[in-house]
Amino acid sequence: MSLFKSASIVSLLTLASRITGLVRELLIAATFGASAVTDAFNVAFRIPNLLRRLFAEGAFSQAFVPVLAATRQQQGDAATRALIDHVATVLTAALLLTCVLGVVGAPLLVWAMASGLRQTPGGFETAVALTRWMFPYIGFMSLVALSAGILNTWRRYAVPAATPVLLNVAMIAAAAWGAPALARLGVEPIYALAGGVMLGGVLQLAVQAPALARVGALPRLRLTVAGVRAGWRHPGTQRILALMGPAVLGVSVAQLSLLINTQIASHLSPGSVSWLTYADRLMEFPTALLGVALGVVLLPQLAAAQAAGDEARYSQLLDWGLRWVVLLAVPSALALLTFATPLVAVLYHYGAFTAADVRQTALALMGYGVGLLGLIGVKVLAPGFYARQDIRTPVRIAIVVLGFTQVMNALLVPHLAHAGLALAIGLGALLNAGWLLVGLRRRGAYAPQPGWWRFARQVVLAAAVMTAWLLAWALGLDWVGMERPLRVAALAGAALGAILLYFGTLYAAGLPLRQFVRK
């Protein structure tokens, strides 16, 4: 399967995930609005998600996939399956202990994440209770990340990409039917969402087993003292753990930035955490559809090229990924900057979500839009280091970027409040991506293919035409005051016109779009 087809499959299934996720957020926003209760849920949900990004999709995946791909390339499938069994055994044992500690230590975790919730009566206590219900979600998702790494290495991308849909469906059901049921029983309805999260975790893990069995890579767990000890001592496990050390530090830096932002937002006006969360959901659409899809497909391919010593293919893979980033991230960023209010109004302005919530969420979305090119670019550039089993360099860069982001917070938050937090993240992402690019160039790992300057001029021209079109629509209509059917129709017309203008201008400027699908 070509890289384009693989990335397209991941992107389309990720789109399904993001659409169901958006439906989930719309339903939650309409049902609960932006309040102290939703802040408590968002904080509680961020705790297992933070750890998931830290140990599952973050440090573990960064270390596991390159070692797994190199083992398969150099030693064959039998050695690879033995590695899978040992790693799965050690991971499962570690997760059981982590979940117990997380449930017991929930009050400390909530305090560290958002001590400002104590400003609202019952807010802190609600967040603690929700954290205890949802913390085991980290266990399910860590095992899902293990499965995804295996399946992606075998170039089976569909199941890992489609899996998040199950969480969204479970949470939609919880908000639509579970919350009213709890309300009738006199129980705070927000607790239904915690049940939805746990059900989603169970479903996501359950669908991995048949896919793993089909490729003959279903892990065989040995949860005995001897089994865990054997798994721990396996050379592949030790190599993954050695790589995870700097990887944990690197991902910790990113998550520390999120923790600091949540802590700051919890001390701003009520609803700030939720406004940032809703904006983040919209920002994740282009980030996931392009950045995550490319990263998922490129990492095992880059690792295999590195293991085979094929430096030319390694560079060509990176070049292909970066051209896709520029082609789609530039117009997406400009759309978030110029069309934020229409997007938020159409998608969120219902029920308890007020016009003031629209304005505040749109400001945060614009802040993220400034750095969207960097946020997506990092998803392609960082795997360029991970595939070479060089995790220390991205870590050092991330530490400096964290300091830069906090300086930006100090400068921006007093003037822009929660929107300053989003803008600081965006500026930090641009710095991060630029630094990674320079690092790959200096190491000789990446040499740009011919034609970049002409390509950049074509993209800038097309993006300018598209931006003028979106500005005319954004400023010419009262998006907050319009009736719902008119808002939806206007958004559809503006978006369709923007897409046609962008790609039509690229075609007229002579960009051969077929070159992007032939890789």
Side-chain angles (χ1 to χ4, degrees):
M1 185 181 295
S2 71
L3 281 176
F4 173 74
K5 289 182 179 178
S6 299
S8 297
I9 289 172
V10 176
S11 186
L12 288 173
L13 291 173
T14 302
L15 176 61
S17 170
R18 289 303 184 260
I19 289 175
T20 54
L22 182 59
V23 172
R24 178 192 84 190
E25 293 302 323
L26 293 175
L27 186 56
I28 292 174
T31 304
F32 300 101
S35 64
V37 173
T38 57
D39 281 356
F41 171 77
N42 284 319
V43 167
F45 193 31
R46 280 187 183 183
I47 290 173
N49 273 317
L50 185 153
L51 294 175
R52 171 178 62 86
R53 292 173 181 174
L54 181 61
F55 293 110
E57 297 169 359
F60 175 74
S61 293
Q62 291 169 15
F64 176 61
V65 172
V67 173
L68 185 68
T71 301
R72 191 175 185 222
Q73 178 75 27
Q74 297 170 349
Q75 301 178 37
D77 286 350
T80 305
R81 291 187 175 95
L83 171 65
I84 290 169
D85 294 342
H86 288 302
V87 171
T89 297
V90 174
L91 179 63
T92 302
L95 289 171
L96 290 172
L97 178 61
T98 301
C99 289
V100 171
L101 294 176
V103 171
V104 173
L108 181 60
L109 292 171
V110 173
W111 177 84
M113 176 70 81
S115 61
L117 290 177
R118 291 187 181 276
Q119 297 176 147
T120 304
F124 184 86
E125 291 74 15
T126 300
V128 169
L130 289 168
T131 299
R132 284 180 165 149
W133 277 104
M134 292 189 289
F135 195 90
Y137 179 70
I138 177 62
F140 295 116
M141 294 315 299
S142 295
L143 294 174
V144 168
L146 170 73
S147 303
I150 297 168
L151 292 171
N152 290 338
T153 301
W154 260 262
R155 301 190 184 185
R156 302 294 191 272
Y157 301 105
V159 171
T163 295
V165 173
L166 298 173
L167 171 67
N168 296 328
V169 170
M171 292 186 68
I172 289 169
W177 296 290
L182 289 184
R184 288 192 295 270
L185 295 173
V187 178
E188 170 56 54
I190 201 74
Y191 286 101
L193 295 181
V197 169
M198 290 304 298
L199 175 61
V202 172
L203 293 174
Q204 289 180 90
L205 182 57
V207 300
Q208 307 300 314
L212 291 170
R214 281 194 293 271
V215 298
L218 184 65
R220 293 168 295 181
L221 301 180
R222 295 178 57 201
L223 294 177
T224 62
V225 173
V228 174
R229 184 181 294 117
W232 180 268
R233 291 175 177 174
H234 187 271
T237 304
Q238 290 299 309
R239 179 58 181 159
I240 292 169
L241 290 171
L243 291 173
M244 278 189 68
V248 167
L249 179 58
V251 180
S252 297
V253 169
Q255 298 310 310
L256 179 59
S257 179
L258 174 64
L259 174 62
I260 293 171
N261 279 12
T262 303
Q263 185 69 260
I264 295 172
S266 73
H267 289 276
L268 300 175
S269 58
S272 294
V273 174
S274 297
W275 295 327
L276 285 168
T277 300
Y278 294 135
D280 181 74
R281 293 291 183 267
L282 289 177
M283 180 270 294
E284 284 182 355
F285 259 87
T287 303
L289 294 184
L290 181 57
V292 173
L294 288 173
V296 164
V297 171
L298 283 174
L299 180 55
Q301 299 287 325
L302 288 168
Q306 175 68 19
D310 193 345
E311 292 295 331
R313 175 164 173 75
Y314 197 95
S315 179
Q316 290 167 3
L317 287 168
L318 286 172
D319 192 84
W320 178 81
L322 289 173
R323 287 181 189 252
W324 269 110
V325 169
V326 172
L327 181 70
L328 297 181
V330 169
S332 297
L334 291 171
L336 294 185
L337 285 169
T338 59
F339 213 59
T341 297
L343 286 170
V344 175
V346 170
L347 297 173
Y348 288 128
H349 188 31
Y350 310 107
F353 203 87
T354 66
D357 294 328
V358 171
R359 288 192 296 272
Q360 299 301 332
T361 303
L363 288 173
L365 185 59
M366 293 172 70
Y368 286 130
V370 170
L372 186 65
L373 183 62
L375 290 165
I376 295 176
V378 168
K379 304 292 185 182
V380 172
L381 293 164
F385 289 90
Y386 303 150
R388 301 168 73 87
Q389 299 188 21
D390 174 11
I391 297 180
R392 295 181 183 275
T393 299
V395 168
R396 288 194 291 265
I397 293 172
I399 291 172
V400 177
V401 170
L402 174 63
F404 171 80
T405 302
Q406 300 319 310
V407 171
M408 291 296 99
N409 280 340
L411 295 174
L412 297 172
V413 171
H415 305 286
L416 301 176
H418 68 287
L421 296 170
L423 180 56
I425 289 176
L427 294 174
L430 290 173
L431 176 62
N432 196 347
W435 205 332
L436 289 171
L437 178 60
V438 171
L440 288 171
R441 292 292 311 279
R442 287 180 175 175
R443 284 163 174 75
Y446 170 57
Q449 300 294 301
W452 262 99
W453 285 112
R454 185 168 186 266
F455 170 61
R457 290 194 299 269
Q458 292 165 328
V459 169
V460 168
L461 173 62
V465 173
M466 182 207 71
T467 300
W469 167 267
L470 290 178
L471 276 174
W473 279 85
L475 300 176
L477 297 174
D478 179 11
W479 291 91
V480 175
M482 275 194 298
E483 294 294 326
R484 178 177 180 178
L486 290 177
R487 284 204 303 262
V488 173
L491 178 65
L496 179 60
I499 293 170
L500 292 175
L501 277 173
Y502 181 68
F503 286 102
T505 304
L506 286 175
Y507 180 78
L511 180 66
L513 293 173
R514 288 186 179 181
Q515 72 179 5
F516 291 91
V517 302
R518 288 177 178 170
K519 191 70 176 177

